[in-house]
Amino acid sequence: MKIRWQPVVAAGAAVAATLVASSSVPQATNHATNHGAPQPSDVQISTDPQQLSVVGLPCFPGVLNLTMTNIGTQDRYADMTLDPTGPLQLSRELFSSWLPAVDPDQPVSAPVEVRAPRDATPGIYQIGVEVDRSRLTVPVTVNPLPPKGPGDNLALGEQATASSTHGNFFLCGAVDGDKDSEHWDTLTGWNDGTRAVFPDTYDVALSQPATINRVELYTLDSAKYPAAVNGLRDWDVQARVGGTWQTVAQVRGNTAGHVTSTFEPVQADSVRILCLDGNDHTYSRIVELEVYGS
Ligand SMILES: [Ca+2]
């Protein structure tokens, strides 16, 4: 089975699903004792994308953008409830918002992260999305776990932590399998949140202790943002061995987009990039961090 590593949300072809439930129901059929309550058809709901693929790794969420639009004539408050099936875990199961009735209609959106645990049975599950009596169903495919044997990237999708993360970026963006800097402005890559303050740290915890001897770091290096101008310049590669961080490699004065650091094999349970400076001296930027064993 081919495993799709990128969340479907990254695909440009994704188009918002739209449902206006009950919109074909004539207003006259609503029951007579309506004390000014909004009609079910007042809120249009959609999700982008319409379906998701996820993998049961801790730092590999799929992201679903939820949208509610008041298409009626009365200001109102709305609760969108999310109902996941099977092993799916959501970062929220309720999205509530005040929805003023304005012209043109003003959509209100919020993201939800969708995860599956490592032991999730691969298959197709779903998330029910509901406002009043309007309902959508979003299919979610849980793909098999990637191999993590010799020669495989041990950092892929594993739990990342960082000293800080800029609000426009995802913590997990540097372990999502996408090392293409041209995707930087959209979804992939980590950017710290403390401008012109160093050091910054980006850690990834391996699923189990492993003998490692190589780290591949992809910093920002695109046509618009060359590494020599905006990439990571100085950093230490550290491995946590027996609970203690050890520096296993050092990189200084880098201007390349891709740097391979090899070192004597160590048995480690985590890898850290200790970011000491960027070429523009503002932010630490990592598009992808890969860890390999011997
Ligand atoms: Ca990435």
Side-chain angles (χ1 to χ4, degrees):
M1 173 185 255
K2 180 169 169 38
I3 299 173
R4 184 184 178 90
W5 292 120
Q6 298 314 311
V8 174
V9 70
V15 176
T18 299
L19 176 68
V20 185
S22 308
S23 61
S24 61
V25 177
Q27 296 297 303
T29 63
N30 291 318
H31 63 87
T33 55
N34 185 332
H35 301 288
Q39 303 303 311
S41 56
D42 281 355
V43 176
Q44 178 179 310
I45 62 176
S46 64
T47 72
D48 183 16
Q50 294 172 282
Q51 56 183 350
L52 272 185
S53 291
V54 299
V55 177
L57 291 171
C59 219
F60 218 116
V63 178
L64 199 60
N65 282 298
L66 312 166
T67 298
M68 296 192 285
T69 308
N70 184 350
I71 57 171
T73 55
Q74 296 178 42
D75 295 347
R76 61 164 292 181
Y77 192 83
D79 290 332
M80 175 184 280
T81 56
L82 305 176
D83 181 23
T85 66
L88 300 179
Q89 299 166 346
L90 307 183
S91 59
R92 63 164 78 204
E93 295 194 0
L94 177 66
F95 167 33
S96 299
S97 183
W98 175 247
L99 301 176
V102 292
D103 187 18
D105 293 333
Q106 190 171 41
V108 177
S109 296
V112 57
E113 291 184 343
V114 182
R115 287 183 166 81
R118 200 181 289 271
D119 62 357
T121 303
I124 297 176
Y125 302 92
Q126 63 184 40
I127 302 169
V129 180
E130 203 167 270
V131 176
D132 302 334
R133 287 188 287 277
S134 305
R135 186 178 170 88
L136 281 182
T137 300
V138 179
V140 179
T141 302
V142 175
N143 286 313
L145 292 173
K148 290 287 176 75
D152 296 315
N153 172 17
L154 302 177
L156 179 63
E158 300 299 344
Q159 188 61 63
T161 51
S163 51
S164 65
T165 299
H166 192 285
N168 295 346
F169 292 83
F170 292 109
L171 170 67
C172 296
V175 289
D176 66 354
D178 184 353
K179 52 195 181 192
D180 187 344
S181 282
E182 299 299 338
H183 300 159
W184 177 257
D185 280 345
T186 53
L187 285 170
T188 197
W190 167 77
N191 188 120
D192 80 281
T194 58
R195 181 184 168 87
V197 177
F198 293 88
D200 304 301
T201 58
Y202 189 86
D203 301 357
V204 58
L206 307 182
S207 63
Q208 56 188 11
T211 301
I212 61 170
N213 71 338
R214 180 163 56 96
V215 165
E216 307 268 351
L217 188 143
Y218 295 81
T219 188
L220 179 58
D221 186 31
S222 66
K224 190 175 176 184
Y225 304 110
V229 178
N230 300 109
L232 197 58
R233 175 185 177 87
D234 302 328
W235 68 92
D236 287 356
V237 178
Q238 299 187 326
R240 194 169 64 184
V241 180
T244 302
W245 289 107
Q246 296 182 1
T247 297
V248 295
Q250 294 186 309
V251 178
R252 297 292 184 268
N254 172 63
T255 56
H258 174 204
V259 177
T260 299
S261 297
T262 54
F263 42 89
E264 287 298 311
V266 289
Q267 175 90 357
D269 63 5
S270 294
V271 171
R272 165 175 291 176
I273 302 300
L274 177 62
C275 306
L276 300 170
D277 202 1
N279 281 316
D280 60 8
H281 313 297
T282 59
Y283 289 113
S284 299
R285 303 180 178 95
I286 301 176
V287 177
E288 194 73 6
L289 174 63
E290 298 176 344
V291 177
Y292 294 93
S294 49

